[in-house]
Amino acid sequence: MQGDSELVDKILSLKRERNAVILAHNYQLGEIQDIADFVGDSLELSQNAAKTKAEVIVFCGVHFMAETASILCPDKAVLLPDINAGCPMADMVTAERLRQRKRELPEASVVCYINSSAEVKAESDVCCTSANAVKVIESLDNEEILFVPDQYLGHYVSTKTDKKMNLWPGYCSTHVRIQPQDITRLKQEYPQAKVVIHPECRPEVIALADEVLSTGGMIRYARREDVSEMVVGTEIGIIHRLRKENPGKKFIPISEQAICPKMKLITLEKVLWSLEEMRPQVKVPEATRLRAKTAVDRMLAVV
Ligand code: SF4
């Protein structure tokens, strides 16, 4: 059995040999974040994938993120170290069901959360992330929107816009576990702490937040001088980065239940194996890719 430092050395040397870049989502295990060239939220990772000069992208995240990298960089090899790392929310909408709903709402513009498959993106007018959803929707001329798949992000956006929002009934199986009583309890225990909540949470949880932010937004918020204690209302993987970047500040996970098992499938061993064997690779078929890219490019033009 290899120790972590031996694994890390092998990964870093193979990464150089393959001319690879390692991108990791804020929810990844701490040891994965520590070997990544870049750690960020979905928007930051897709922007980074779009501009990298590396020939290989090792995507430490879930399947739709690797697909987004493949959509933006068709000439690069995109590795997802565990092909079973899918997002349950993304699986709650299929292209076929979306086409059916579009027929029922022919006037609506389709906005898909980036947490969706390439095929769903190909059926959409524009893509968005939790960091830019309000801005993207406000940028559209159309007054009627069909928003897929996250009903809770969609609901949050509907409180910030006058557009008519038709919401798909999807949800994140990790963020729905966060309960309002988690916040009430922590507010009593840490009265000075700022409560920061991800917009994938339920409305009754969001109602108790001091700030509603994407994970990238949380990272920036934590750097503020007036923030010394923060209740972190999202997947607990982000706590590793918050503590690492802000020594001396206190970060309190909102709930031990807020763990995404799919994000945790990526391990150091699997990253090494993927670089050794150059698989599993994620490649979006060209016809789908071109249509999906239009939706992603429209988003990237707004932000
Ligand atoms: S945290 Fe939620 S939205 Fe993110 S990958 Fe896991 S299930 Fe999907």
Side-chain angles (χ1 to χ4, degrees):
M1 179 111 175
Q2 302 180 86
D4 275 8
S5 68
E6 202 183 329
L7 275 173
V8 170
D9 288 347
K10 283 188 179 171
I11 290 168
L12 297 182
S13 113
L14 202 48
K15 188 187 80 158
R16 278 190 295 274
E17 210 176 290
R18 299 262 193 238
N19 187 16
V21 66
I22 301 179
L23 304 181
H25 191 269
N26 286 321
Y27 297 158
Q28 287 289 293
L29 293 169
E31 58 265 35
I32 298 292
Q33 297 188 30
D34 291 344
I35 54 151
D37 295 287
F38 184 80
V39 184
D41 63 17
S42 303
L43 174 62
E44 294 162 340
L45 292 173
S46 50
Q47 287 168 325
N48 223 278
K51 65 175 192 228
T52 183
K53 300 253 184 300
E55 289 165 70
V56 177
I57 299 174
V58 184
F59 218 113
C60 300
V62 288
H63 193 267
F64 74 82
M65 297 177 179
E67 275 194 332
T68 308
S70 168
I71 290 166
L72 291 167
C73 320
D75 301 332
K76 299 185 193 303
V78 180
L79 299 171
L80 179 63
D82 188 326
I83 204 67
N84 298 310
C87 166
M89 183 210 284
D91 294 340
M92 290 177 190
V93 56
T94 62
E96 195 183 330
R97 285 171 62 210
L98 177 54
R99 279 193 291 272
Q100 193 181 333
R101 188 74 179 120
K102 279 164 69 173
R103 285 194 287 276
E104 291 162 8
L105 296 169
E107 304 299 325
S109 289
V110 181
V111 181
C112 72
Y113 190 20
I114 198 157
N115 299 36
S116 54
S117 67
E119 286 189 346
V120 164
K121 288 183 178 76
E123 290 293 332
S124 303
D125 295 301
V126 62
C127 193
C128 73
T129 71
S130 56
N132 60 27
V134 175
K135 209 170 164 187
V136 166
I137 286 171
E138 282 291 285
S139 76
L140 299 173
D141 291 334
N142 198 341
E143 290 307 309
E144 184 172 6
I145 308 294
L146 169 57
F147 188 82
V148 298
D150 186 5
Q151 61 180 301
Y152 295 122
L153 175 61
H155 178 272
Y156 173 69
V157 173
S158 74
T159 65
K160 304 281 170 197
T161 177
D162 292 331
K163 308 257 184 206
K164 182 176 180 210
M165 299 282 291
N166 299 282
L167 306 180
W168 194 268
Y171 58 88
C172 164
S173 39
T174 297
H175 284 89
V176 291
R177 294 188 202 166
I178 299 172
Q179 305 285 334
Q181 50 270 35
D182 294 326
I183 304 180
T184 4
R185 180 176 46 82
L186 290 170
K187 273 188 167 178
Q188 278 169 1
E189 211 174 320
Y190 303 97
Q192 306 301 325
K194 303 283 187 198
V195 176
V196 182
I197 300 292
H198 194 277
E200 285 174 18
C201 290
R202 300 177 211 235
E204 56 271 33
V205 171
I206 286 182
L208 299 171
D210 292 314
E211 299 285 341
V212 181
L213 295 168
S214 68
T215 59
M218 289 183 189
I219 296 287
R220 287 186 290 280
Y221 184 79
R223 294 180 187 140
R224 282 172 39 163
E225 274 182 21
D226 58 337
V227 176
S228 57
E229 280 187 14
M230 196 168 128
V231 170
V232 184
T234 190
E235 211 275 351
I236 61 173
I238 195 174
I239 300 277
H240 173 81
R241 182 169 172 201
L242 288 168
R243 287 185 180 148
K244 192 171 159 183
E245 290 187 3
N246 304 277
K249 295 192 179 187
K250 194 169 184 68
F251 298 99
I252 306 125
I254 200 158
S255 162
E256 294 300 332
Q257 298 289 315
I259 298 177
C260 175
K262 298 293 187 176
M263 282 279 179
K264 307 305 184 213
L265 286 176
I266 311 293
T267 61
L268 287 175
E269 282 90 349
K270 290 177 192 171
V271 172
L272 177 63
W273 297 334
S274 70
L275 274 166
E276 279 173 349
E277 297 169 14
M278 289 299 286
R279 69 185 177 90
Q281 287 197 26
V282 172
K283 181 123 187 100
V284 176
E286 190 59 7
T288 307
R289 186 189 80 79
L290 289 172
R291 292 173 64 215
K293 187 169 185 297
T294 308
V296 177
D297 282 346
R298 280 193 189 133
M299 169 186 81
L300 293 174
V302 173
V303 291

